[in-house]
Amino acid sequence: MTDFSSHHPDWWRQAVVYQVYPRSFADADGDGLGDLRGVADRLPQLAGLGVDALWLSPFYPSELADGGYDVADYRDVDPRLGTLADFDALAAEAHRLGLKVIVDLVPNHTSHLHPWFQEALAAGPGSPARDRYVFREGRGPNGELPPTDWQSVFGGSAWQRISDGQWYLHLFTREQPDLDWSHEEVREDFRTTLRFWSDRGVDGFRIDVAHALAKDLTEPLRDLGGPESSGEDALSHLPPGTHPFYDRDEVHEIYRDWRTILDSYTPPRTAVAEAWVPGARRALYARPDELDQAFNFEYLQAGWDAKQLREVITDSLATARAVGASATWVLSNHDVVRHTSRLMLPPGTDRNAWLLSDGTAPRVDERAGLRRARAATLLMLALPGSSYVYQGEELGLPEVADLPVDALRDPVWEQTGHADKGRDGCRVPLPWTTTGPSYGFGAGGAWLPQPPYFARYAAEAQTGVEGSTLELYRTALRLRRKLLSGEELTWHGTTNTPGVLFFARSDGWRCMTNLSDAPVPLPPGEVLLTSMPLDDHGPGGGTLPPDTTVWLA
Ligand code: NOJ
């Protein structure tokens, strides 16, 4: 049997990783922004929740042009969030409680405030300092047009012109200039960063935009022929490895190099790629001599549809297995609409339009959303592989879709010319208590307004309350640890009842989810856990209501 204890080098294969978005988790110093001491203070709660690891989204010095994914110094802590000593204390306490620590690495771009970029600006065109980034002359008679038609992920041209006339590449905001990964100094500096945090005892890394580092920058740079070709969606209809900046074959050399560093530690450090790349190509990032895992965005993007989910689960397991990796599952993170709300949106709903309507078109029934989210969570936690849980989902928080536009902080709002409300609705600071300033987030208020209904979802309102979402997560995580064995999944029956997902993990664990709108017969066996109470489950069997998951022995 596989050993999944936290001491085993493969602990990550079937871990539950809790994502902390530090600025919105807990604010110990009362400046309105969450901080590392806030996280450290709540570690006992996370250990009590039963997760195996925490992944900290960036806490590095940053002007927050993109919520911390604009890093000015990769080897320090933002003073507003604490100090390196605070980080060390947090990591030590996490380890004492049996929790692993994963930190976020952002190698595709720096902040424009990074000393390298400041040096590049000052040094002028043609200087070696500019070679660490992607500076080019513009097109048109006076260089007034961007060098190519490449588009930023957040909207508009991916090129920004500076006062001396040159342009630089930024696949995200203009405050996030892209690095040139063919430059040896860039490579060496990230090796140093990997060692810096590994030496401080971190157990792993989450690699931001892992699929964009290697770019085809041979002259002349080629146009993509339309805004739609700049996005990751283009990957599915281009021959593999031919996009100028996404998922190029050369990117894997970088991860092979990193693997030697990760493996030089005992136990080896783990890594998970954020790579928006379709299935089999994505799995390449998780080959044994590269990173260990890659996030599964097909699962995240699947609707509440049994057929679609079964296909995605089957494919995800097969593609991960083909490279010897374990699968990953994620329902919510800091970039997407929380799954309590998202899974209720009818297929084809335009997420931006829904957010722009303040969540009124269509309006999501909060109770029904929570019911469905709980069913989705128990389904996810029963799947073989690792689950990544986003802060607040254990409270059942809905998306705050009606944030007033003047409160928005996500650069997406401005960069899309107010066409996309962005990702703030899932980043609203967490409610810990039912009353008090910012519901226990911190004494200095919250940097995004919390709706009054957050009081009902507060950890305090749910702790020890039977049937609460928080207690459901705790029970599920405790039970999951006991039930875990190999990574096999066997679907029950060759053709499942439509609208139902039913599979076995091992002798002692079966999971059934009813995604249809009518009750279905409950199979015989001991009920271990249900996402909602079963009304009529007696010795003679019973039914599984819609939007409910059951774990059976
Ligand atoms: C992915 C991160 O999850 C997201 O929050 C960020 O905006 C982009 N990468 C750019 O770093």
Side-chain angles (χ1 to χ4, degrees):
M1 195 206 270
T2 319
D3 178 359
F4 298 113
S5 71
S6 66
H7 305 298
H8 194 275
D10 282 352
W11 63 270
W12 48 268
R13 288 195 74 93
Q14 299 217 67
V16 176
V17 182
Y18 183 96
Q19 181 191 355
V20 173
Y21 192 71
R23 292 176 176 82
S24 302
F25 187 74
D27 173 22
D29 67 8
D31 67 353
L33 210 58
D35 46 38
L36 293 185
R37 275 208 295 119
V39 180
D41 290 348
R42 310 281 178 176
L43 286 174
Q45 273 109 309
L46 294 187
L49 184 60
V51 299
D52 301 295
L54 51 142
W55 145 33
L56 293 163
S57 278
F59 49 80
Y60 316 112
S62 167
E63 67 167 343
L64 305 185
D66 182 19
Y69 284 89
D70 47 319
V71 180
D73 181 347
Y74 290 88
R75 302 192 281 273
D76 205 350
V77 174
D78 189 309
R80 288 166 295 178
L81 271 72
T83 61
L84 279 171
D86 290 330
F87 177 85
D88 291 341
L90 186 164
E93 179 61 3
H95 288 151
R96 197 185 64 76
L97 293 166
L99 295 167
K100 306 282 188 193
V101 179
I102 293 175
V103 298
D104 219 308
L105 193 65
V106 189
N108 179 66
H109 42 263
T110 69
S111 159
H112 69 137
L113 300 180
H114 190 285
W116 276 356
F117 194 73
Q118 290 299 310
E119 189 190 337
L121 290 181
S127 62
R130 289 211 172 171
D131 293 344
R132 299 187 191 109
Y133 294 90
V134 186
F135 280 90
R136 292 291 183 277
E137 299 302 329
R139 296 190 291 196
N142 301 306
E144 71 282 12
L145 298 171
T148 65
D149 64 355
W150 301 353
Q151 298 289 298
S152 155
V153 174
F154 293 159
S157 170
W159 295 94
Q160 174 66 29
R161 198 171 197 197
I162 55 172
S163 56
D164 59 33
Q166 277 206 313
W167 299 73
Y168 69 86
L169 180 70
H170 61 88
L171 290 184
F172 293 88
T173 69
R174 70 175 71 95
E175 292 85 4
Q176 293 166 296
D178 278 50
L179 287 164
D180 182 346
W181 270 85
S182 67
H183 198 296
E184 182 47 35
E185 230 182 300
V186 170
R187 292 187 181 228
E188 188 51 31
D189 196 67
F190 276 88
R191 290 183 197 115
T192 306
T193 298
L194 282 171
R195 289 194 196 98
F196 178 86
W197 293 107
S198 298
D199 289 343
R200 297 194 103 86
V202 312
D203 304 280
F205 297 87
R206 176 264 190 193
I207 314 301
D208 189 66
V209 214
H211 57 309
L213 273 51
K215 298 182 175 75
D216 179 9
L217 298 174
T218 44
E219 295 292 342
L221 299 182
R222 27 182 190 119
D223 274 341
L224 275 161
E228 61 292 341
S229 307
S230 276
E232 285 106 349
D233 293 349
L235 292 176
S236 43
H237 44 84
L238 279 178
T242 61
H243 194 279
F245 44 88
Y246 286 138
D247 194 36
R248 298 191 59 78
D249 293 336
E250 309 89 88
V251 80
H252 296 284
E253 287 161 24
I254 299 169
Y255 303 127
R256 279 186 210 111
D257 177 38
W258 288 8
R259 173 46 59 192
T260 62
I261 297 172
L262 300 172
D263 279 352
S264 69
Y265 288 86
T266 310
R269 303 321 193 216
T270 190
V272 55
E274 186 222 16
W276 291 82
V277 173
R281 288 281 295 185
R282 185 183 63 240
L284 301 180
Y285 293 76
R287 284 180 287 194
D289 61 346
E290 298 194 30
L291 310 172
D292 290 313
Q293 293 186 319
F295 284 138
N296 186 345
F297 292 113
E298 275 111 10
Y299 187 70
L300 177 74
Q301 287 168 325
W304 188 240
D305 175 282
K307 187 165 172 289
Q308 196 188 354
L309 279 169
R310 182 173 166 157
E311 272 167 26
V312 169
I313 293 167
T314 305
D315 287 356
S316 307
L317 290 171
T319 47
R321 193 175 302 125
V323 296
S326 63
T328 66
W329 315 103
V330 58
L331 288 167
S332 284
N333 67 31
H334 65 295
D335 290 332
V336 299
V337 170
R338 283 187 179 276
H339 71 278
T340 27
S341 307
R342 191 188 67 243
L343 293 175
M344 295 300 286
L345 299 176
T349 306
D350 176 342
R351 183 193 63 100
N352 297 341
W354 180 71
L355 285 172
L356 286 169
S357 78
D358 285 347
T360 62
R363 195 177 286 283
V364 169
D365 180 298
E366 216 178 294
R367 282 167 66 98
L370 187 56
R371 175 181 190 102
R372 186 168 285 184
R374 290 164 57 119
T377 295
L378 282 202
L379 165 63
M380 172 176 80
L381 292 175
L383 294 171
S386 300
S387 290
Y388 287 78
V389 167
Y390 176 52
Q391 67 178 36
E393 69 171 78
E394 78 281 17
L395 303 176
L397 288 182
E399 179 80 1
V400 184
D402 58 353
L403 281 172
V405 294
D406 55 6
L408 297 178
R409 304 279 282 274
D410 187 347
V412 167
W413 173 241
E414 289 302 333
Q415 206 166 317
T416 58
H418 300 179
D420 186 335
K421 239 177 135 180
R423 304 158 293 176
D424 287 320
C426 66
R427 299 176 177 180
V428 176
L430 294 189
W432 293 94
T433 55
T434 53
T435 54
S438 65
Y439 304 109
F441 168 69
W447 64 277
L448 281 170
Q450 299 158 301
Y453 66 75
F454 259 34
R456 274 190 280 124
Y457 288 91
E460 183 187 47
Q462 300 195 41
T463 305
V465 175
E466 204 189 320
S468 72
T469 303
L470 181 58
E471 292 302 334
L472 176 72
Y473 269 74
R474 277 151 76 133
T475 309
L477 293 176
R478 221 172 18 241
L479 196 55
R480 182 182 189 275
R481 273 199 185 163
K482 285 200 207 128
L483 295 169
L484 269 190
S485 59
E487 292 175 26
E488 294 75 40
L489 173 152
T490 316
W491 293 107
H492 265 281
T494 42
T495 50
N496 266 3
T497 319
V500 172
L501 293 172
F502 187 23
F503 57 85
R505 280 297 301 278
S506 60
D507 290 346
W509 192 10
R510 290 170 300 148
C511 175
M512 186 189 243
T513 303
N514 182 3
L515 300 92
S516 76
D517 49 18
V520 295
L522 193 65
E526 183 196 348
V527 171
L528 299 172
L529 186 63
T530 55
S531 59
M532 289 303 267
L534 303 180
D535 314 324
D536 57 351
H537 179 61
T543 57
L544 185 65
D547 286 356
T548 311
T549 293
V550 61
W551 289 0
L552 297 156

